[in-house]
Each structure stands twice: as C-alpha cells, then as structure tokens.
Amino acid sequence: MDIDWDRIRKHAYADVHGPSDWPQGIKPISLDGTGLFGLDAKHRLYWDGKLVHVERGISLTFWQKTGAIIGIAAAVVAALASAVQAYIAWIELCTK
C-alpha cells in the first residue's frame, strides 16, 4: 500500500481555528497530520522528518528559590553538626 505523503502534508492541519487563547497562526493538527509524527530509536519526536525541539527548563519563583536556599542551608548545618558530634565522640573514645 502506497501512502500519498503529499496529500497528507497538504491536509496536515484541521480546517478549524484553534482556541482563542492560542497564539495567532497556530492551527490544530488533522487526523491525517498525526501520520507526520515519528520517533527514532532513542524515542526522540519528529514532525514531518524534522526533530521537535523539547525544552526542559525549570523556573522557580522567588519564594521557591528562598525555600530551596533555606533547605540547603539547614541540610549543611545538620551535616556539620553531625560531623562535629562524631569528631567529639571519637576524641572522647581515643582519650579513655
């Protein structure tokens, strides 16, 4: 069975407008258009033979950053306190 890729490319988009909150120029994909998606052996996504760039960024709010810094500082203090306790116990053990 031969697939008419030119026809699929021609009808890749639905004949309707996307939701009003979508950026201008963005169109929904038609059912035919879903056939233009593909995956390679590493499960990377392609659209019509072109790699789809997926950004995996992280953005924290001020309060999230503040909480993270406080949490890291508390962990460092706890680690130092444990190290000091272990050192004191070792010194006491060695001086007996």
Side-chain angles (χ1 to χ4, degrees):
M1 176 174 123
D2 288 338
I3 297 174
D4 186 357
W5 291 108
D6 290 330
R7 185 191 65 76
I8 290 175
R9 286 185 180 105
K10 183 178 177 184
H11 299 287
Y13 303 101
D15 290 331
V16 296
H17 296 289
S20 61
D21 58 341
W22 281 15
Q24 192 171 13
I26 305 296
K27 298 178 182 178
I29 299 172
S30 69
L31 287 177
D32 283 339
T34 60
L36 295 173
F37 281 112
L39 296 173
D40 65 9
K42 293 183 179 180
H43 303 287
R44 290 179 295 201
L45 181 64
Y46 288 79
W47 165 258
D48 199 12
K50 296 175 187 144
L51 182 63
V52 175
H53 176 74
V54 178
E55 212 171 288
R56 294 185 181 157
I58 185 168
S59 178
L60 300 176
T61 66
F62 170 77
W63 292 111
Q64 289 171 327
K65 291 176 188 174
T66 301
I69 290 169
I70 291 170
I72 291 168
V76 168
V77 168
L80 288 173
S82 294
V84 168
Q85 281 182 327
Y87 178 74
I88 291 170
W90 180 71
I91 292 294
E92 288 177 356
L93 186 65
C94 290
T95 58
K96 285 188 178 183

